[in-house]
Amino acid sequence: MAARQADYDVAIIGGGPGGSTTGSLLRKYNPELRVLILEREIFPRDHVGESQLPVISSILHEMGAWDKVEAANFPIKVGGTYRWGKSPELWDFEFLPLEDFQDEPRPSQFSGQRLRTAFQVDRAIYDEILLDHAAELGCEVREGTGVARIERDGDSVTGLKLANGETITARYYVDASGNAATLRRAMGVPIDCPTQLKNIAIWDYWDNAEWAIEIGVGATRIQIMSVGFGWLWFIPLSPTRTSIGLVCPAEYYKSSGKTPEQLYSEAVHSDERISALTASATREGKIKTTNDWSFVAERTVGENWFLVGECAGFADPILSAGLALTTTGARELAYTILELFRGEQPGDWLTRHYDSMQRERVRQHMRFAEFWYSTNGQFTELQEHCREIARDAGLDLNAGQSWAWLAQGGFATDVVGQVGLGGLGLTAIKMLAEQFTGDEATWRLNNANSFELDLADAVHETTPEYRNGRIYPVDTYRRGDRRLVAVGFNELILKCLATPLDIAGLVRRVMAVLKQRNEPHPKVALQMALQVLEVMMDQGWVRGRFEADLPRLAIEGSGKIIHPNRDPMPH
């Protein structure tokens, strides 16, 4: 008897950004696929996680949804204002120097400066835009449809039993159900919590709060304010609606004897800046809480199923990375499933790399968050933990030195082919090291002006590159746990250093290649290439030496990206 044909090619549990992005990209690149998205709630509905990073914008553009999100008139995020670290003074981090930000009418196109900005989104509106977009691309979307039971045979899912009694079958199943983790829990996948950060979040929404700063038409910064027992976020979501939340250690909450409402009210009113911004505002009065504990699933792939987004792993929200991790993972998952259907690449190679990249990326964000917290006077117990992280890399460093190690690219490999983490490039990370430790950041490039590749003893293998709906195997070099993938700016430096060069010759060659590629922002691209060179030197892929008769660089920390806050104090 012939096997019964599956009802769908892909069944996705969860209609949030992880599920809708996966479904949209599947249908964009293969409109023949039968894709079902099951969402237990009826949209719109509120959801925390409103502050984005620029990487999301490029994915929205790829899936054809950027113009729809831009038309919703969400605030443009250009960075954040912080009270954090050893000093009580405010300082700003910006994705692009504000002196370069040009006032322009909205809605605008995904080009120019908007390539380097992000959104601050009202999730009730944003998630509905993305789910409707998936439906427009041909996904079958069922809202108000919960999954009551996962039917399985060993490590294979055989069907989804819905709350209405119907059973759905598919060739592949995706768990994008967030913290419900419907499929992950049913398949018995353990989670690991390799972190000392165990916080809770308490939040509410406010009407008519004052923006701390309005930049041009609709642009602003989020506010992150350290308070005596945690920190506050202040995220404008529209001209009139603002998300304000408190993050504090779970142990403090338990020992305080206070209710979430009492802690929240105390934090908001104790902070001079947030209190001023909310002086004429009113609360919606629907306070919400959640455990804000970082974790990562021990695996994200099974025989015919995948985890994506928060059910696969979660990193502390201090970096505003939640939606970025989810959206990036959803894109890579869609590409992986598309290739599995094509059958042109080894299936185990595709799924192995999807799994390792998702878990590694979450772990990197966890560690970066721990470093970030270690510089706050309220989280001093993390300083020794950060030394332990550095020791894992074979280094014996104090807390300040550990930050310097991070600023050298210690684990800054969030985007393959670039260096950066949590939306921060290497320059910004080095400047944070200065901000948090008081020690001047150093650049190896200032002490070397002649360079040559060193790939001796490196193992050659391949790594996926995700591009235009296809996955391409690209050359990769590995020494121990260090990996150099020949894509992006890594590939550019490898190409330009095919023969040894001094710094002047290298810069000329890089600029020539960028010109050939019609790079729209060559100066920015050159800076990113030099950041990659810095890390390649630190990790031993490039040997640099100083020759007195050759020109040299004099890279300094720039006050354009991270600088003291100059905004007028709110009334």
mmCIF file of all heavy atoms in Angstrom, residues 292-319:
data_model
loop_
_atom_site.group_PDB
_atom_site.id
_atom_site.type_symbol
_atom_site.label_atom_id
_atom_site.label_comp_id
_atom_site.label_asym_id
_atom_site.label_seq_id
_atom_site.Cartn_x
_atom_site.Cartn_y
_atom_site.Cartn_z
ATOM 1 N N ASP A 292 13.198 35.849 32.744
ATOM 2 C CA ASP A 292 14.041 36.368 31.676
ATOM 3 C C ASP A 292 15.350 35.583 31.647
ATOM 4 O O ASP A 292 16.420 36.166 31.588
ATOM 5 C CB ASP A 292 14.302 37.855 31.959
ATOM 6 C CG ASP A 292 14.604 38.612 30.692
ATOM 7 O OD1 ASP A 292 14.412 38.049 29.615
ATOM 8 O OD2 ASP A 292 15.034 39.769 30.792
ATOM 9 N N TRP A 293 15.254 34.248 31.741
ATOM 10 C CA TRP A 293 16.441 33.420 31.921
ATOM 11 C C TRP A 293 17.004 32.986 30.578
ATOM 12 O O TRP A 293 16.293 32.444 29.726
ATOM 13 C CB TRP A 293 16.106 32.187 32.754
ATOM 14 C CG TRP A 293 15.742 32.555 34.158
ATOM 15 C CD1 TRP A 293 15.655 33.810 34.687
ATOM 16 C CD2 TRP A 293 15.388 31.657 35.203
ATOM 17 N NE1 TRP A 293 15.264 33.751 35.997
ATOM 18 C CE2 TRP A 293 15.086 32.432 36.350
ATOM 19 C CE3 TRP A 293 15.279 30.273 35.292
ATOM 20 C CZ2 TRP A 293 14.709 31.880 37.559
ATOM 21 C CZ3 TRP A 293 14.905 29.723 36.499
ATOM 22 C CH2 TRP A 293 14.631 30.508 37.618
ATOM 23 N N SER A 294 18.296 33.207 30.421
ATOM 24 C CA SER A 294 18.972 32.787 29.199
ATOM 25 C C SER A 294 19.112 31.266 29.178
ATOM 26 O O SER A 294 19.383 30.640 30.205
ATOM 27 C CB SER A 294 20.359 33.429 29.122
ATOM 28 O OG SER A 294 20.268 34.837 29.078
ATOM 29 N N PHE A 295 18.916 30.675 27.999
ATOM 30 C CA PHE A 295 19.078 29.230 27.855
ATOM 31 C C PHE A 295 19.320 28.920 26.391
ATOM 32 O O PHE A 295 19.083 29.758 25.499
ATOM 33 C CB PHE A 295 17.830 28.475 28.343
ATOM 34 C CG PHE A 295 16.658 28.599 27.404
ATOM 35 C CD1 PHE A 295 16.452 27.672 26.374
ATOM 36 C CD2 PHE A 295 15.755 29.659 27.522
ATOM 37 C CE1 PHE A 295 15.383 27.801 25.498
ATOM 38 C CE2 PHE A 295 14.684 29.793 26.643
ATOM 39 C CZ PHE A 295 14.502 28.852 25.634
ATOM 40 N N VAL A 296 19.754 27.714 26.110
ATOM 41 C CA VAL A 296 19.882 27.243 24.740
ATOM 42 C C VAL A 296 19.499 25.770 24.700
ATOM 43 O O VAL A 296 19.843 25.012 25.613
ATOM 44 C CB VAL A 296 21.305 27.464 24.190
ATOM 45 C CG1 VAL A 296 22.344 26.696 24.991
ATOM 46 C CG2 VAL A 296 21.382 27.108 22.713
ATOM 47 N N ALA A 297 18.731 25.379 23.689
ATOM 48 C CA ALA A 297 18.356 23.975 23.537
ATOM 49 C C ALA A 297 19.588 23.151 23.192
ATOM 50 O O ALA A 297 20.492 23.616 22.498
ATOM 51 C CB ALA A 297 17.298 23.830 22.443
ATOM 52 N N GLU A 298 19.634 21.912 23.670
ATOM 53 C CA GLU A 298 20.783 21.062 23.395
ATOM 54 C C GLU A 298 20.842 20.634 21.938
ATOM 55 O O GLU A 298 21.884 20.213 21.444
ATOM 56 C CB GLU A 298 20.780 19.848 24.321
ATOM 57 C CG GLU A 298 21.072 20.224 25.763
ATOM 58 C CD GLU A 298 21.368 19.027 26.641
ATOM 59 O OE1 GLU A 298 21.384 17.889 26.118
ATOM 60 O OE2 GLU A 298 21.596 19.220 27.850
ATOM 61 N N ARG A 299 19.730 20.724 21.216
ATOM 62 C CA ARG A 299 19.727 20.556 19.765
ATOM 63 C C ARG A 299 18.514 21.259 19.200
ATOM 64 O O ARG A 299 17.509 21.447 19.891
ATOM 65 C CB ARG A 299 19.739 19.074 19.358
ATOM 66 C CG ARG A 299 18.539 18.261 19.831
ATOM 67 C CD ARG A 299 18.695 16.791 19.473
ATOM 68 N NE ARG A 299 17.589 15.988 19.970
ATOM 69 C CZ ARG A 299 16.798 15.229 19.212
ATOM 70 N NH1 ARG A 299 17.007 15.172 17.908
ATOM 71 N NH2 ARG A 299 15.828 14.512 19.739
ATOM 72 N N THR A 300 18.616 21.662 17.938
ATOM 73 C CA THR A 300 17.522 22.386 17.287
ATOM 74 C C THR A 300 16.988 21.636 16.072
ATOM 75 O O THR A 300 16.158 22.171 15.335
ATOM 76 C CB THR A 300 17.997 23.780 16.840
ATOM 77 O OG1 THR A 300 19.058 23.621 15.887
ATOM 78 C CG2 THR A 300 18.491 24.603 18.019
ATOM 79 N N VAL A 301 17.453 20.399 15.873
ATOM 80 C CA VAL A 301 17.106 19.622 14.685
ATOM 81 C C VAL A 301 16.798 18.188 15.089
ATOM 82 O O VAL A 301 17.470 17.620 15.958
ATOM 83 C CB VAL A 301 18.279 19.632 13.679
ATOM 84 C CG1 VAL A 301 18.013 18.682 12.516
ATOM 85 C CG2 VAL A 301 18.537 21.041 13.171
ATOM 86 N N GLY A 302 15.780 17.603 14.472
ATOM 87 C CA GLY A 302 15.479 16.181 14.625
ATOM 88 C C GLY A 302 15.364 15.535 13.259
ATOM 89 O O GLY A 302 15.806 16.095 12.243
ATOM 90 N N GLU A 303 14.776 14.378 13.210
ATOM 91 C CA GLU A 303 14.695 13.656 11.932
ATOM 92 C C GLU A 303 13.919 14.430 10.874
ATOM 93 O O GLU A 303 14.310 14.460 9.709
ATOM 94 C CB GLU A 303 14.064 12.273 12.149
ATOM 95 C CG GLU A 303 14.984 11.279 12.838
ATOM 96 C CD GLU A 303 14.411 9.878 12.838
ATOM 97 O OE1 GLU A 303 13.461 9.609 12.069
ATOM 98 O OE2 GLU A 303 14.918 9.046 13.606
ATOM 99 N N ASN A 304 12.823 15.054 11.279
ATOM 100 C CA ASN A 304 12.032 15.809 10.308
ATOM 101 C C ASN A 304 11.448 17.076 10.941
ATOM 102 O O ASN A 304 10.386 17.546 10.561
ATOM 103 C CB ASN A 304 10.905 14.951 9.722
ATOM 104 C CG ASN A 304 9.887 14.528 10.769
ATOM 105 O OD1 ASN A 304 10.160 14.570 11.981
ATOM 106 N ND2 ASN A 304 8.699 14.107 10.328
ATOM 107 N N TRP A 305 12.159 17.623 11.913
ATOM 108 C CA TRP A 305 11.658 18.791 12.613
ATOM 109 C C TRP A 305 12.802 19.740 12.993
ATOM 110 O O TRP A 305 13.968 19.339 13.064
ATOM 111 C CB TRP A 305 10.855 18.415 13.855
ATOM 112 C CG TRP A 305 11.592 17.527 14.835
ATOM 113 C CD1 TRP A 305 11.558 16.169 14.892
ATOM 114 C CD2 TRP A 305 12.472 17.959 15.882
ATOM 115 N NE1 TRP A 305 12.364 15.711 15.912
ATOM 116 C CE2 TRP A 305 12.943 16.785 16.538
ATOM 117 C CE3 TRP A 305 12.917 19.185 16.327
ATOM 118 C CZ2 TRP A 305 13.820 16.829 17.622
ATOM 119 C CZ3 TRP A 305 13.808 19.234 17.404
ATOM 120 C CH2 TRP A 305 14.237 18.061 18.038
ATOM 121 N N PHE A 306 12.426 21.003 13.256
ATOM 122 C CA PHE A 306 13.389 22.056 13.572
ATOM 123 C C PHE A 306 12.815 22.973 14.654
ATOM 124 O O PHE A 306 11.600 23.138 14.755
ATOM 125 C CB PHE A 306 13.686 22.918 12.343
ATOM 126 C CG PHE A 306 14.257 22.158 11.175
ATOM 127 C CD1 PHE A 306 13.408 21.545 10.255
ATOM 128 C CD2 PHE A 306 15.629 22.061 10.995
ATOM 129 C CE1 PHE A 306 13.925 20.862 9.175
ATOM 130 C CE2 PHE A 306 16.151 21.366 9.916
ATOM 131 C CZ PHE A 306 15.305 20.766 9.007
ATOM 132 N N LEU A 307 13.710 23.565 15.410
ATOM 133 C CA LEU A 307 13.353 24.628 16.347
ATOM 134 C C LEU A 307 13.896 25.944 15.797
ATOM 135 O O LEU A 307 14.997 25.992 15.252
ATOM 136 C CB LEU A 307 13.973 24.383 17.728
ATOM 137 C CG LEU A 307 13.804 23.007 18.369
ATOM 138 C CD1 LEU A 307 14.493 22.984 19.738
ATOM 139 C CD2 LEU A 307 12.337 22.650 18.501
ATOM 140 N N VAL A 308 13.132 27.019 15.966
ATOM 141 C CA VAL A 308 13.601 28.331 15.545
ATOM 142 C C VAL A 308 13.094 29.375 16.521
ATOM 143 O O VAL A 308 12.003 29.245 17.086
ATOM 144 C CB VAL A 308 13.131 28.663 14.110
ATOM 145 C CG1 VAL A 308 11.629 28.905 14.047
ATOM 146 C CG2 VAL A 308 13.896 29.835 13.529
ATOM 147 N N GLY A 309 13.894 30.407 16.746
ATOM 148 C CA GLY A 309 13.479 31.494 17.618
ATOM 149 C C GLY A 309 13.636 31.165 19.085
ATOM 150 O O GLY A 309 14.497 30.388 19.480
ATOM 151 N N GLU A 310 12.769 31.742 19.901
ATOM 152 C CA GLU A 310 12.933 31.673 21.352
ATOM 153 C C GLU A 310 12.807 30.264 21.901
ATOM 154 O O GLU A 310 13.357 29.968 22.966
ATOM 155 C CB GLU A 310 11.907 32.595 22.025
ATOM 156 C CG GLU A 310 12.149 32.801 23.498
ATOM 157 C CD GLU A 310 11.187 33.798 24.114
ATOM 158 O OE1 GLU A 310 10.798 34.746 23.411
ATOM 159 O OE2 GLU A 310 10.823 33.610 25.291
ATOM 160 N N CYS A 311 12.103 29.363 21.226
ATOM 161 C CA CYS A 311 12.026 27.999 21.746
ATOM 162 C C CYS A 311 13.367 27.292 21.608
ATOM 163 O O CYS A 311 13.633 26.311 22.298
ATOM 164 C CB CYS A 311 10.938 27.200 21.043
ATOM 165 S SG CYS A 311 11.270 26.819 19.321
ATOM 166 N N ALA A 312 14.246 27.791 20.729
ATOM 167 C CA ALA A 312 15.573 27.196 20.532
ATOM 168 C C ALA A 312 16.605 27.795 21.462
ATOM 169 O O ALA A 312 17.620 27.145 21.766
ATOM 170 C CB ALA A 312 16.026 27.382 19.085
ATOM 171 N N GLY A 313 16.375 29.021 21.923
ATOM 172 C CA GLY A 313 17.325 29.669 22.817
ATOM 173 C C GLY A 313 16.957 31.110 23.041
ATOM 174 O O GLY A 313 16.286 31.744 22.208
ATOM 175 N N PHE A 314 17.384 31.638 24.175
ATOM 176 C CA PHE A 314 17.037 33.011 24.548
ATOM 177 C C PHE A 314 18.238 33.633 25.240
ATOM 178 O O PHE A 314 18.873 33.000 26.081
ATOM 179 C CB PHE A 314 15.821 33.024 25.473
ATOM 180 C CG PHE A 314 15.430 34.403 25.944
ATOM 181 C CD1 PHE A 314 14.696 35.241 25.119
ATOM 182 C CD2 PHE A 314 15.805 34.856 27.194
ATOM 183 C CE1 PHE A 314 14.346 36.516 25.550
ATOM 184 C CE2 PHE A 314 15.456 36.127 27.641
ATOM 185 C CZ PHE A 314 14.720 36.955 26.811
ATOM 186 N N ALA A 315 18.564 34.867 24.854
ATOM 187 C CA ALA A 315 19.649 35.610 25.489
ATOM 188 C C ALA A 315 19.077 36.866 26.134
ATOM 189 O O ALA A 315 18.128 37.464 25.624
ATOM 190 C CB ALA A 315 20.728 35.976 24.474
ATOM 191 N N ASP A 316 19.646 37.285 27.240
ATOM 192 C CA ASP A 316 19.168 38.431 28.015
ATOM 193 C C ASP A 316 18.905 39.643 27.109
ATOM 194 O O ASP A 316 19.652 39.910 26.176
ATOM 195 C CB ASP A 316 20.218 38.795 29.066
ATOM 196 C CG ASP A 316 19.699 39.809 30.056
ATOM 197 O OD1 ASP A 316 19.787 41.024 29.754
ATOM 198 O OD2 ASP A 316 19.206 39.400 31.121
ATOM 199 N N PRO A 317 17.818 40.394 27.370
ATOM 200 C CA PRO A 317 17.403 41.468 26.457
ATOM 201 C C PRO A 317 18.257 42.724 26.519
ATOM 202 O O PRO A 317 17.956 43.687 25.793
ATOM 203 C CB PRO A 317 15.970 41.754 26.896
ATOM 204 C CG PRO A 317 15.930 41.385 28.338
ATOM 205 C CD PRO A 317 16.829 40.188 28.454
ATOM 206 N N ILE A 318 19.304 42.779 27.320
ATOM 207 C CA ILE A 318 20.105 43.993 27.419
ATOM 208 C C ILE A 318 20.661 44.400 26.060
ATOM 209 O O ILE A 318 20.891 45.569 25.785
ATOM 210 C CB ILE A 318 21.250 43.816 28.451
ATOM 211 C CG1 ILE A 318 21.998 45.139 28.669
ATOM 212 C CG2 ILE A 318 22.212 42.723 28.039
ATOM 213 C CD1 ILE A 318 21.162 46.235 29.245
ATOM 214 N N LEU A 319 20.855 43.443 25.150
ATOM 215 C CA LEU A 319 21.423 43.742 23.835
ATOM 216 C C LEU A 319 20.362 43.965 22.762
ATOM 217 O O LEU A 319 20.696 44.162 21.595
ATOM 218 C CB LEU A 319 22.347 42.604 23.394
ATOM 219 C CG LEU A 319 23.477 42.235 24.362
ATOM 220 C CD1 LEU A 319 24.250 41.053 23.826
ATOM 221 C CD2 LEU A 319 24.393 43.426 24.582
#
